[in-house]
Amino acid sequence: MIDQLKIIGQYLLPKHLVSRLAGKLAAAKTGRLTTILIKLFVAKFKVDMSEAKHSDPASFTTFNDFFTRELREGIRPLVTGEENIILPVDGTVSQLGEIKAGRVFQAKGHDFSLRELLGGRDDLAAPFDEGSFSTVYLSPRDYHRIHMPMTGKLEQMVFIPGDLFSVNPLTAENVPNLFARNERAVAIFSTAIGPMAMVLVGATIVASIETVWGGTIAPAENREIQYWDYSDQDITLEKGEEMGRFKLGSTIVALFPKDTINFAEELQAGSVTRLGELFATTAETK
């Protein structure tokens, strides 16, 4: 009953308004109040500040600075080997597996359209049909920078405006089409195994989605689908390099073409992920 009330509350909540107000608060420089807020957040969500480059809450001028904090150098070593694809974020696997008949599995009883996830573009969806996907949820306590699973050249980006439901496991199990209805930014890279898509999904209280090449992508004043073509630019990001960040948590969906990768055997729904550990291997190493 309580879970159902939480879901109903999300449908009724003015999610965009609440998220934008939270964003203004998170960006505000309020001195001691900011430090108190960070300390309360660290205690509530059991954030491990020993992993952060700056572990003292008083060293952050805004809540956003704290939330997008850097890790200590060397704390997340990268798996070596050209055949190894690394986990791009700290988080928890929501689901992973094969894309079947253009549908991506969300949770028991729910899946969603690959084409819709990628902004309704058949040309973007086609290379990933019957391919592989992994959805990873970043909780409030996690590190919120997103890194490259493998080296790739940026080809295209799409911003798709949408809703801002929470993306936690409860919502994933109860809100149909969740990841294809929420606001999101899609980045398409060319890699040694073909195209790779990294989908950064917004959520309730997510004040911003940013990329290293485009800055703030969301929130956006323009509430229509926006498209950028980078194919004539040399924007190449190496494996492990930062590609973007969330301000106040969310989810990423990684997409790979058919028969190009094998996910690490130990990964399954519920697996805890750590940046730099083994995500998958290229298919020829099977």
Side-chain angles (χ1 to χ4, degrees), residues 42-214:
V42 169
K44 177 176 176 57
F45 293 104
K46 298 180 173 57
V47 179
D48 185 0
M49 293 301 291
S50 69
E51 294 187 333
K53 182 177 180 180
H54 303 289
S55 60
D56 182 1
S59 64
F60 302 100
T61 58
T62 69
F63 188 84
N64 277 339
D65 289 341
F66 153 72
F67 202 80
T68 59
R69 62 195 176 275
E70 293 181 76
L71 294 175
R72 284 195 292 111
E73 187 173 352
I75 199 73
R76 294 285 187 273
L78 308 183
V79 171
T80 58
E82 292 185 6
E83 75 281 8
N84 292 325
I85 301 167
I86 65 168
L87 285 162
V89 292
D90 284 7
T92 303
V93 173
S94 176
Q95 299 292 340
L96 83 171
E98 297 179 359
I99 300 165
K100 299 180 179 179
R103 307 293 296 181
V104 183
F105 183 64
Q106 177 177 307
K108 186 177 181 180
H110 297 297
D111 59 16
F112 56 90
S113 162
L114 170 66
R115 180 179 181 275
E116 190 174 350
L117 175 71
L118 301 182
R121 294 278 300 267
D122 287 325
D123 60 322
L124 297 185
F128 302 107
D129 194 21
E130 307 302 324
S132 302
F133 81 95
S134 179
T135 305
V136 182
Y137 166 66
L138 288 74
S139 75
R141 72 188 300 265
D142 287 320
Y143 169 67
H144 279 85
R145 300 191 183 196
I146 305 119
H147 295 249
M148 291 290 288
M150 61 191 309
T151 298
K153 178 184 178 297
L154 180 66
E155 299 290 348
Q156 302 171 75
M157 181 170 70
V158 186
F159 168 70
I160 304 107
D163 219 321
L164 286 175
F165 281 92
S166 169
V167 290
N168 62 33
L170 174 65
T171 313
E173 292 170 2
N174 289 278
V175 175
N177 214 35
L178 176 62
F179 302 119
R181 72 191 296 171
N182 268 17
E183 188 169 271
R184 57 204 179 277
V186 178
I188 306 291
F189 297 89
S190 57
T191 76
I193 62 170
M196 173 185 72
M198 294 288 287
V199 185
L200 282 55
V201 184
T204 311
I205 313 296
V206 176
S208 179
I209 298 174
E210 298 180 7
T211 65
V212 297
W213 60 85

